[in-house]
Amino acid sequence: MSARYLRRDGLLVRPVTTPEQALAELTAGPDAVPAFDLTVLDLTMPGLDPRRIRRALRTPVIFLVAGPQVPRPRGLARAGATGPRRWLARPFGPRQLIAMVRDVLAEPAPRPGRCLLADGEPVKLTPTETAVLASLLGQQGRVLSRRQLLAAAGRPAAGDRAADVVIAQLRAKIGGAVSIRTVRGAGYAIDPGTNRDTGTVSGGQSPGRPGGRATISGATVPI
C-alpha cells in the first residue's frame, strides 16, 4: 500500500518483502554509487538482522517502527549510511510517509569522503578531513587558522580543538605524503615544495578557484 501511494506521488519505488531481498537491493550498486536515493526500512520485517542491514545502508533512510513507545535500535545507520535518518512510528497515514520522503529527498546530501592514494596505498578520508586538506593544499605557504579550516569544512561553530583533532587524524592517515606544519598560536600550513614527490597529491586550490588536483580513487580529479 505504501508503495502504491508513493508511486501516485510520482516516485519510483522498488518494494521488497524479505530481509534477503532488501540486502540484495541495498548492495546491488558499487560502493560509491548507491542504486537508490532513499531507503524506507521496516524494522518489524520478520527475520531482519539490524547488524547486516546497518552494514549495507549507504543512503538516507526512514526507519518504520511498531509504535512510538518501542525502543529504537542505536547506531543502526552509522556504518556507511549517508544523509538524513528519520523514524516513523505506526500508526501513520500515507501522507505522513510521503511528506517525510519528500523532506528527506529535499535535504542536501553531505559531501562524500574521499579515498586518497598516499605512497600508492588507498587512504579513506572523512568529508571534514577532505575539506581541510584541500584548503591547506589550495593555499600552500599560507598559515590558515583553526577557524578558517573548520569554516572550509562547513563546521564554523566547532571549537579550535576540533581542528587539532582533524589535523592529527590527517597526519596519522597520510604520514609523510603531505607535511602539515604547526604554527604555534596561528594555525597550520603546508609549505610549498616540502611535500614528498609521491604523485599522490599535486597543487591545490582555494574554494571556487580551479587548478589544483589530487589522485583520488585512482583518478586525478580537481580539488
Side-chain angles (χ1 to χ4, degrees), residues 116-120 123 133 137 167-181 190-191 193-201:
L116 179 75
L117 292 181
D119 290 333
V123 179
L133 180 59
L137 287 171
I167 293 296
Q169 291 170 338
L170 281 171
R171 285 171 171 162
K173 287 184 177 183
I174 63 180
V178 177
S179 178
I180 303 175
R181 179 167 59 92
I190 292 179
D191 294 330
T194 61
N195 298 334
R196 293 166 53 189
D197 186 15
T198 61
T200 57
V201 179

Side-chain angles (χ1 to χ4, degrees), residues 23 26 39-45 48-65 70-88:
L23 287 168
L26 289 172
T39 302
V40 179
L41 181 62
D42 189 344
L43 292 180
T44 66
M45 182 183 292
L48 184 74
D49 184 345
R51 291 170 298 181
R52 294 182 67 192
I53 291 292
R54 175 180 178 238
R55 290 192 292 266
L57 284 170
R58 302 191 306 269
T59 69
V61 58
I62 295 173
F63 294 109
L64 305 182
V65 295
V70 177
R72 301 173 181 182
R74 293 184 177 182
L76 248 181
R78 288 180 189 165
T82 60
R85 285 84 134 155
R86 301 284 182 85
W87 301 83
L88 186 60

Side-chain angles (χ1 to χ4, degrees), residues 11-217:
L11 295 165
L12 297 176
V13 182
R14 184 175 298 177
V16 296
T17 57
T18 68
E20 293 305 320
Q21 285 181 319
L23 287 168
E25 294 291 352
L26 289 172
T27 58
D31 287 344
V33 185
F36 302 98
D37 298 311
L38 169 69
T39 302
V40 179
L41 181 62
D42 189 344
L43 292 180
T44 66
M45 182 183 292
L48 184 74
D49 184 345
R51 291 170 298 181
R52 294 182 67 192
I53 291 292
R54 175 180 178 238
R55 290 192 292 266
L57 284 170
R58 302 191 306 269
T59 69
V61 58
I62 295 173
F63 294 109
L64 305 182
V65 295
Q69 306 304 321
V70 177
R72 301 173 181 182
R74 293 184 177 182
L76 248 181
R78 288 180 189 165
T82 60
R85 285 84 134 155
R86 301 284 182 85
W87 301 83
L88 186 60
R90 291 187 173 85
F92 60 85
R95 291 185 180 181
Q96 286 178 275
L97 177 60
I98 292 170
M100 186 172 287
V101 167
R102 288 296 185 187
D103 284 346
V104 172
L105 292 177
E107 294 189 24
R111 291 171 296 175
R114 300 281 186 156
C115 183
L116 179 75
L117 292 181
D119 290 333
E121 296 295 327
V123 179
K124 290 185 178 181
L125 301 181
T126 67
T128 298
E129 292 165 354
T130 300
V132 168
L133 180 59
S135 185
L136 288 167
L137 287 171
Q139 303 185 61
Q140 292 190 40
R142 178 184 174 188
V143 179
L144 299 180
S145 70
R146 292 167 173 81
R147 290 188 179 183
Q148 287 175 312
L149 293 173
L150 292 171
R155 299 178 57 190
D160 289 354
R161 179 58 182 159
D164 297 334
V165 171
V166 174
I167 293 296
Q169 291 170 338
L170 281 171
R171 285 171 171 162
K173 287 184 177 183
I174 63 180
V178 177
S179 178
I180 303 175
R181 179 167 59 92
T182 301
V183 181
R184 184 169 296 180
Y188 298 94
I190 292 179
D191 294 330
T194 61
N195 298 334
R196 293 166 53 189
D197 186 15
T198 61
T200 57
V201 179
S202 59
Q205 71 179 54
S206 302
R209 188 181 304 170
R213 62 189 186 278
T215 303
I216 298 173
S217 298

